[in-house]
Amino acid sequence: GDAADYVYDNWKGSSVFVRLFHNGTFIFHMNARDRDGKTIVLRGSKLLASFPVMKEFGTEEYVFSENDIIALFNDYGVYYVVVESTGVEEDDVKSFAMLRSLLADEKRFTLEKKIPIVTNDPRLEDQEILIYRYNDSRKLTKKTITFHLLSVGKEIEVELR
C-alpha cells in the first residue's frame, strides 16, 4: 500500500502507468484510496504488450518504439510510472525493455520514490518499487481505451471518465 499511498497523495495528472509483476496489489490499494474514481490506472501488461495467462501461449506487443510509449503517455495524461527495480519475467518482451530504457532518461523522467518490496515471492527478493514522474505530463486527450483479449480473440473499448 505504500506505493499507492504515495502516488495518490502526490498525483497531479490524469493517470498513473503501472508495470508491476503483482500489479493487482497496487491497483487494489489505489482503488481503496480513490473512492471517487478520479484516478485512471493504466497497466503496462495490457497497453505495451499482453499475453494470455502465460507468455508460453504467445505475446502480442502494441508499441514498437520509445516514441510510441511517449505518445501513449501523452494521450492518456500519465503523471506517474510505477515499476519494480528490475523487471520480473520481462526478458523477452521488447516493449517492457523499451519502457525501462525510457525511464533512464532523466530529462523526461524523475525518480521520486523508492519503496522496498516486502514479500515471500523469491522473484521479488531485493527489489524496490520505483515511482517516476513523467516531466512532460499532459491532460488526458483520449476518451476511450482499447484492450486486446488474446485468450478470446476479441477487443473491448472502454470509455474513460
Side-chain angles (χ1 to χ4, degrees), residues 26-99:
F26 178 87
I27 293 167
F28 170 83
H29 287 285
M30 281 296 291
N31 289 337
R33 290 286 312 270
D34 183 20
R35 298 281 183 201
D36 298 329
K38 70 176 188 167
T39 32
I40 298 169
V41 179
L42 303 171
R43 287 178 49 188
S45 59
K46 298 291 180 213
L47 295 176
L48 299 183
S50 61
F51 32 87
V53 187
M54 297 185 305
K55 288 190 301 186
E56 292 78 21
F57 296 129
T59 302
E60 188 168 342
E61 302 217 32
Y62 308 118
V63 297
F64 304 98
S65 70
E66 290 182 358
N67 287 336
D68 290 344
I69 297 172
I70 291 297
L72 187 142
F73 288 177
N74 290 341
D75 288 346
Y76 291 104
V78 170
Y79 187 75
Y80 279 127
V81 178
V82 182
V83 297
E84 286 115 358
S85 46
T86 57
V88 177
E89 297 186 1
E90 290 186 355
D91 298 343
D92 58 346
V93 182
K94 292 176 186 171
S95 56
F96 296 162
M98 280 188 282
L99 173 64

Side-chain angles (χ1 to χ4, degrees), residues 101-119:
S101 173
L102 195 56
L103 292 173
D105 182 345
E106 293 179 355
K107 290 180 183 172
R108 286 185 167 157
F109 296 91
T110 300
L111 177 59
E112 281 197 5
K113 186 86 170 162
K114 294 181 180 183
I115 300 170
I117 296 175
V118 179
T119 181

